[in-house]
Amino acid sequence: MKIDNITNMHESHPFVRKQNQEFELMELPYSTQALEPQMSRETVELHHGKHQQTYVTNMNKFIAGSDYENMNLRDIVKNSYEKDRGVFNNAAQNLNHIIFWNGMSPDKVDMPPAVSEALESAFGSVDSAKEKFIDLGLKQFGSGWVWLVKKDGGLDIVNTPNGVNPIVWGQEPLLGADVWEHAYYVDFRNDRKTYLETFWDELANWDYVKLQLVQA
Ligand code: FE2
């Protein structure tokens, strides 16, 4: 299963839960200050240690004693969508953040040809893809996400409200940027555009995207 590759790649916490154990907060694949100066230690500590931890804690409470208890995280997200709001919101947000953290790198990663060629083929140019990613991130009113996804054999860029992950629509996320204010307000205040540009230009882990592209 594609998502397991994140674990293999970064040795972060396995989010395919072992039976009869609760989900735990993933370990970050880098230190909390590693993304500075683009993303501060304060932001990462709050975002990972408080926000994501809350999703994990709430998800464990919601799935306790239910049919979801023995599912892996992806299946919980897919099965609870539009059925069990509490389960879905927290499980999806946990999955979203796992993708978010693994999609960034402390060291700038050059885009491998496999990724740039796929972007050129889908969007005309890498710059057009970036423009669309930022535009849809800005157009997501309120809280949500913007994603580069694999869809119908090609690539697309989509935004989602609140905690929705594109896997519920049969799309595989290759990269996701959190546009909830907690993701950028400490470092960028209300400037979501600069945050998204920084994410794409300086933080995105294109080697991770390549791995997802090949295996999605
Ligand atoms: Fe977040």
Side-chain angles (χ1 to χ4, degrees):
M1 189 171 67
K2 187 194 76 62
I3 209 84
D4 291 332
N5 295 316
I6 300 174
T7 305
N8 296 339
M9 190 175 169
H10 296 285
E11 297 179 0
S12 56
H13 184 268
F15 38 91
V16 178
R17 185 178 50 97
K18 294 186 185 99
Q19 200 154 15
N20 300 323
Q21 288 182 8
E22 294 196 323
F23 282 92
E24 290 173 22
L25 179 65
M26 66 177 280
E27 286 175 23
L28 289 172
Y30 32 72
S31 71
T32 53
Q33 69 268 31
L35 301 178
E36 290 185 338
Q38 291 86 352
M39 190 177 284
S40 65
R41 178 181 188 161
E42 182 184 357
T43 290
V44 175
E45 283 181 352
L46 281 168
H47 199 172
H48 172 256
K50 302 291 182 192
H51 289 277
Q52 190 176 2
Q53 177 66 70
T54 300
Y55 298 129
V56 174
T57 302
N58 287 340
M59 178 180 68
N60 281 326
K61 280 187 202 156
F62 276 112
I63 66 172
S66 77
D67 289 345
Y68 299 110
E69 208 170 24
N70 292 314
M71 293 183 195
N72 67 45
L73 184 54
R74 277 172 67 99
D75 287 343
I76 293 173
V77 171
K78 284 198 265 190
N79 283 285
S80 62
Y81 181 53
E82 293 185 327
K83 269 198 293 190
D84 292 300
R85 184 177 296 183
V87 172
F88 178 78
N89 285 342
N90 289 286
Q93 278 290 75
N94 187 26
L95 178 61
N96 294 344
H97 286 84
I98 290 168
I99 295 166
F100 176 64
W101 297 121
N102 282 294
M104 292 188 285
S105 168
D107 305 309
K108 188 170 159 51
V109 178
D110 290 332
M111 194 179 281
V115 175
S116 55
E117 285 162 14
L119 292 176
E120 283 161 13
S121 155
F123 306 101
S125 69
V126 172
D127 281 349
S128 300
K130 174 183 162 183
E131 250 174 59
K132 186 168 184 185
F133 190 86
I134 291 166
D135 185 51
L136 287 183
L138 288 172
K139 281 182 177 154
Q140 176 52 49
F141 184 74
S143 297
W145 293 78
V146 59
W147 307 91
L148 174 66
V149 297
K150 196 164 182 184
K151 171 183 163 187
D152 302 328
L155 296 187
D156 202 358
I157 291 167
V158 297
N159 54 15
T160 60
N162 301 313
V164 175
N165 186 295
I167 63 169
V168 301
W169 302 325
Q171 304 168 4
E172 281 298 331
L174 309 179
L175 183 72
D178 189 341
V179 296
W180 289 57
E181 281 189 346
H182 66 227
Y184 60 90
Y185 215 82
V186 168
D187 299 321
F188 298 90
R189 294 303 177 196
N190 60 333
D191 188 358
R192 190 188 283 190
K193 184 166 190 277
T194 303
Y195 158 66
L196 286 167
E197 284 169 348
T198 304
F199 178 88
W200 182 281
D201 287 336
E202 298 176 52
L203 292 171
N205 185 347
W206 299 109
D207 288 334
Y208 165 81
V209 174
K210 181 187 171 188
L211 185 69
Q212 304 308 307
L213 179 65
V214 170
Q215 291 169 346

mmCIF file of all heavy atoms in Angstrom, residues 41-61:
data_model
loop_
_atom_site.group_PDB
_atom_site.id
_atom_site.type_symbol
_atom_site.label_atom_id
_atom_site.label_comp_id
_atom_site.label_asym_id
_atom_site.label_seq_id
_atom_site.Cartn_x
_atom_site.Cartn_y
_atom_site.Cartn_z
ATOM 1 N N ARG A 41 10.496 26.861 14.568
ATOM 2 C CA ARG A 41 10.337 25.820 15.578
ATOM 3 C C ARG A 41 9.012 25.983 16.326
ATOM 4 O O ARG A 41 8.332 25.002 16.619
ATOM 5 C CB ARG A 41 11.514 25.914 16.557
ATOM 6 C CG ARG A 41 11.458 24.928 17.671
ATOM 7 C CD ARG A 41 12.649 25.112 18.591
ATOM 8 N NE ARG A 41 12.699 24.038 19.564
ATOM 9 C CZ ARG A 41 13.781 23.726 20.254
ATOM 10 N NH1 ARG A 41 14.896 24.389 20.077
ATOM 11 N NH2 ARG A 41 13.754 22.751 21.132
ATOM 12 N N GLU A 42 8.657 27.229 16.609
ATOM 13 C CA GLU A 42 7.398 27.482 17.329
ATOM 14 C C GLU A 42 6.208 26.926 16.544
ATOM 15 O O GLU A 42 5.331 26.252 17.097
ATOM 16 C CB GLU A 42 7.219 28.988 17.558
ATOM 17 C CG GLU A 42 5.956 29.318 18.343
ATOM 18 C CD GLU A 42 5.710 30.819 18.505
ATOM 19 O OE1 GLU A 42 6.556 31.621 18.047
ATOM 20 O OE2 GLU A 42 4.670 31.167 19.070
ATOM 21 N N THR A 43 6.193 27.214 15.257
ATOM 22 C CA THR A 43 5.099 26.703 14.412
ATOM 23 C C THR A 43 5.076 25.186 14.408
ATOM 24 O O THR A 43 4.017 24.565 14.593
ATOM 25 C CB THR A 43 5.251 27.220 12.963
ATOM 26 O OG1 THR A 43 4.987 28.613 12.950
ATOM 27 C CG2 THR A 43 4.289 26.524 12.008
ATOM 28 N N VAL A 44 6.243 24.574 14.197
ATOM 29 C CA VAL A 44 6.287 23.112 14.095
ATOM 30 C C VAL A 44 5.895 22.473 15.429
ATOM 31 O O VAL A 44 5.128 21.500 15.461
ATOM 32 C CB VAL A 44 7.674 22.637 13.615
ATOM 33 C CG1 VAL A 44 7.761 21.112 13.623
ATOM 34 C CG2 VAL A 44 7.975 23.178 12.218
ATOM 35 N N GLU A 45 6.386 23.030 16.526
ATOM 36 C CA GLU A 45 6.049 22.450 17.836
ATOM 37 C C GLU A 45 4.553 22.530 18.115
ATOM 38 O O GLU A 45 3.948 21.573 18.596
ATOM 39 C CB GLU A 45 6.840 23.162 18.946
ATOM 40 C CG GLU A 45 8.284 22.698 18.998
ATOM 41 C CD GLU A 45 9.091 23.361 20.100
ATOM 42 O OE1 GLU A 45 8.584 24.312 20.745
ATOM 43 O OE2 GLU A 45 10.248 22.938 20.304
ATOM 44 N N LEU A 46 3.971 23.675 17.816
ATOM 45 C CA LEU A 46 2.526 23.827 18.035
ATOM 46 C C LEU A 46 1.730 22.938 17.093
ATOM 47 O O LEU A 46 0.778 22.262 17.496
ATOM 48 C CB LEU A 46 2.106 25.282 17.791
ATOM 49 C CG LEU A 46 2.386 26.283 18.888
ATOM 50 C CD1 LEU A 46 2.173 27.703 18.365
ATOM 51 C CD2 LEU A 46 1.463 26.032 20.083
ATOM 52 N N HIS A 47 2.148 22.962 15.838
ATOM 53 C CA HIS A 47 1.377 22.293 14.795
ATOM 54 C C HIS A 47 1.420 20.766 14.971
ATOM 55 O O HIS A 47 0.389 20.091 14.909
ATOM 56 C CB HIS A 47 1.951 22.704 13.435
ATOM 57 C CG HIS A 47 1.035 22.482 12.292
ATOM 58 N ND1 HIS A 47 1.303 22.930 11.026
ATOM 59 C CD2 HIS A 47 -0.157 21.837 12.200
ATOM 60 C CE1 HIS A 47 0.316 22.588 10.223
ATOM 61 N NE2 HIS A 47 -0.576 21.912 10.910
ATOM 62 N N HIS A 48 2.605 20.259 15.209
ATOM 63 C CA HIS A 48 2.765 18.810 15.379
ATOM 64 C C HIS A 48 2.393 18.388 16.810
ATOM 65 O O HIS A 48 1.574 17.488 17.014
ATOM 66 C CB HIS A 48 4.217 18.432 15.046
ATOM 67 C CG HIS A 48 4.560 17.004 15.351
ATOM 68 N ND1 HIS A 48 5.302 16.642 16.453
ATOM 69 C CD2 HIS A 48 4.267 15.853 14.701
ATOM 70 C CE1 HIS A 48 5.454 15.326 16.462
ATOM 71 N NE2 HIS A 48 4.841 14.823 15.418
ATOM 72 N N GLY A 49 2.963 19.063 17.773
ATOM 73 C CA GLY A 49 2.823 18.635 19.165
ATOM 74 C C GLY A 49 1.463 18.920 19.782
ATOM 75 O O GLY A 49 1.035 18.230 20.717
ATOM 76 N N LYS A 50 0.788 19.955 19.292
ATOM 77 C CA LYS A 50 -0.530 20.309 19.858
ATOM 78 C C LYS A 50 -1.665 19.968 18.895
ATOM 79 O O LYS A 50 -2.567 19.210 19.230
ATOM 80 C CB LYS A 50 -0.584 21.802 20.205
ATOM 81 C CG LYS A 50 0.465 22.250 21.188
ATOM 82 C CD LYS A 50 0.216 21.695 22.575
ATOM 83 C CE LYS A 50 1.281 22.210 23.559
ATOM 84 N NZ LYS A 50 1.250 21.495 24.838
ATOM 85 N N HIS A 51 -1.624 20.548 17.692
ATOM 86 C CA HIS A 51 -2.753 20.334 16.772
ATOM 87 C C HIS A 51 -2.852 18.868 16.330
ATOM 88 O O HIS A 51 -3.905 18.240 16.456
ATOM 89 C CB HIS A 51 -2.633 21.251 15.549
ATOM 90 C CG HIS A 51 -2.879 22.689 15.864
ATOM 91 N ND1 HIS A 51 -4.142 23.229 15.947
ATOM 92 C CD2 HIS A 51 -2.027 23.689 16.161
ATOM 93 C CE1 HIS A 51 -4.055 24.504 16.258
ATOM 94 N NE2 HIS A 51 -2.774 24.817 16.393
ATOM 95 N N GLN A 52 -1.763 18.327 15.797
ATOM 96 C CA GLN A 52 -1.860 16.948 15.303
ATOM 97 C C GLN A 52 -2.085 15.980 16.467
ATOM 98 O O GLN A 52 -2.839 15.016 16.341
ATOM 99 C CB GLN A 52 -0.616 16.555 14.496
ATOM 100 C CG GLN A 52 -0.809 15.217 13.771
ATOM 101 C CD GLN A 52 0.370 14.835 12.884
ATOM 102 O OE1 GLN A 52 1.366 15.546 12.824
ATOM 103 N NE2 GLN A 52 0.256 13.701 12.222
ATOM 104 N N GLN A 53 -1.432 16.257 17.592
ATOM 105 C CA GLN A 53 -1.647 15.381 18.759
ATOM 106 C C GLN A 53 -3.123 15.347 19.142
ATOM 107 O O GLN A 53 -3.661 14.290 19.502
ATOM 108 C CB GLN A 53 -0.805 15.873 19.945
ATOM 109 C CG GLN A 53 -1.020 15.081 21.227
ATOM 110 C CD GLN A 53 -0.539 13.634 21.120
ATOM 111 O OE1 GLN A 53 0.643 13.372 21.051
ATOM 112 N NE2 GLN A 53 -1.477 12.683 21.108
ATOM 113 N N THR A 54 -3.799 16.477 19.060
ATOM 114 C CA THR A 54 -5.224 16.525 19.401
ATOM 115 C C THR A 54 -6.041 15.661 18.449
ATOM 116 O O THR A 54 -6.963 14.956 18.868
ATOM 117 C CB THR A 54 -5.725 17.983 19.374
ATOM 118 O OG1 THR A 54 -4.960 18.716 20.331
ATOM 119 C CG2 THR A 54 -7.204 18.079 19.722
ATOM 120 N N TYR A 55 -5.690 15.708 17.161
ATOM 121 C CA TYR A 55 -6.408 14.857 16.204
ATOM 122 C C TYR A 55 -6.227 13.374 16.551
ATOM 123 O O TYR A 55 -7.169 12.581 16.484
ATOM 124 C CB TYR A 55 -5.926 15.108 14.766
ATOM 125 C CG TYR A 55 -6.149 16.519 14.270
ATOM 126 C CD1 TYR A 55 -5.123 17.251 13.689
ATOM 127 C CD2 TYR A 55 -7.407 17.117 14.365
ATOM 128 C CE1 TYR A 55 -5.333 18.555 13.228
ATOM 129 C CE2 TYR A 55 -7.620 18.415 13.906
ATOM 130 C CZ TYR A 55 -6.575 19.121 13.335
ATOM 131 O OH TYR A 55 -6.781 20.402 12.884
ATOM 132 N N VAL A 56 -4.997 13.011 16.904
ATOM 133 C CA VAL A 56 -4.711 11.612 17.230
ATOM 134 C C VAL A 56 -5.483 11.196 18.482
ATOM 135 O O VAL A 56 -6.128 10.130 18.522
ATOM 136 C CB VAL A 56 -3.191 11.399 17.437
ATOM 137 C CG1 VAL A 56 -2.905 9.983 17.931
ATOM 138 C CG2 VAL A 56 -2.431 11.662 16.141
ATOM 139 N N THR A 57 -5.446 12.043 19.498
ATOM 140 C CA THR A 57 -6.145 11.738 20.754
ATOM 141 C C THR A 57 -7.646 11.596 20.520
ATOM 142 O O THR A 57 -8.274 10.642 20.986
ATOM 143 C CB THR A 57 -5.883 12.869 21.778
ATOM 144 O OG1 THR A 57 -4.472 12.984 21.961
ATOM 145 C CG2 THR A 57 -6.551 12.590 23.113
ATOM 146 N N ASN A 58 -8.210 12.535 19.767
ATOM 147 C CA ASN A 58 -9.655 12.489 19.511
ATOM 148 C C ASN A 58 -10.027 11.295 18.645
ATOM 149 O O ASN A 58 -11.052 10.659 18.863
ATOM 150 C CB ASN A 58 -10.120 13.786 18.841
ATOM 151 C CG ASN A 58 -10.134 14.945 19.827
ATOM 152 O OD1 ASN A 58 -10.153 14.734 21.031
ATOM 153 N ND2 ASN A 58 -10.097 16.158 19.314
ATOM 154 N N MET A 59 -9.184 11.000 17.649
ATOM 155 C CA MET A 59 -9.473 9.849 16.795
ATOM 156 C C MET A 59 -9.520 8.579 17.633
ATOM 157 O O MET A 59 -10.442 7.759 17.481
ATOM 158 C CB MET A 59 -8.389 9.725 15.723
ATOM 159 C CG MET A 59 -8.577 8.535 14.813
ATOM 160 S SD MET A 59 -7.292 8.408 13.562
ATOM 161 C CE MET A 59 -5.912 8.019 14.559
ATOM 162 N N ASN A 60 -8.568 8.403 18.531
ATOM 163 C CA ASN A 60 -8.568 7.209 19.383
ATOM 164 C C ASN A 60 -9.843 7.108 20.208
ATOM 165 O O ASN A 60 -10.414 6.031 20.364
ATOM 166 C CB ASN A 60 -7.337 7.209 20.291
ATOM 167 C CG ASN A 60 -6.079 6.765 19.557
ATOM 168 O OD1 ASN A 60 -6.128 5.922 18.679
ATOM 169 N ND2 ASN A 60 -4.957 7.360 19.905
ATOM 170 N N LYS A 61 -10.307 8.256 20.700
ATOM 171 C CA LYS A 61 -11.553 8.255 21.492
ATOM 172 C C LYS A 61 -12.741 7.865 20.627
ATOM 173 O O LYS A 61 -13.589 7.074 21.022
ATOM 174 C CB LYS A 61 -11.805 9.655 22.077
ATOM 175 C CG LYS A 61 -11.007 9.969 23.314
ATOM 176 C CD LYS A 61 -11.468 11.308 23.890
ATOM 177 C CE LYS A 61 -10.369 11.893 24.757
ATOM 178 N NZ LYS A 61 -10.462 13.350 24.875
#
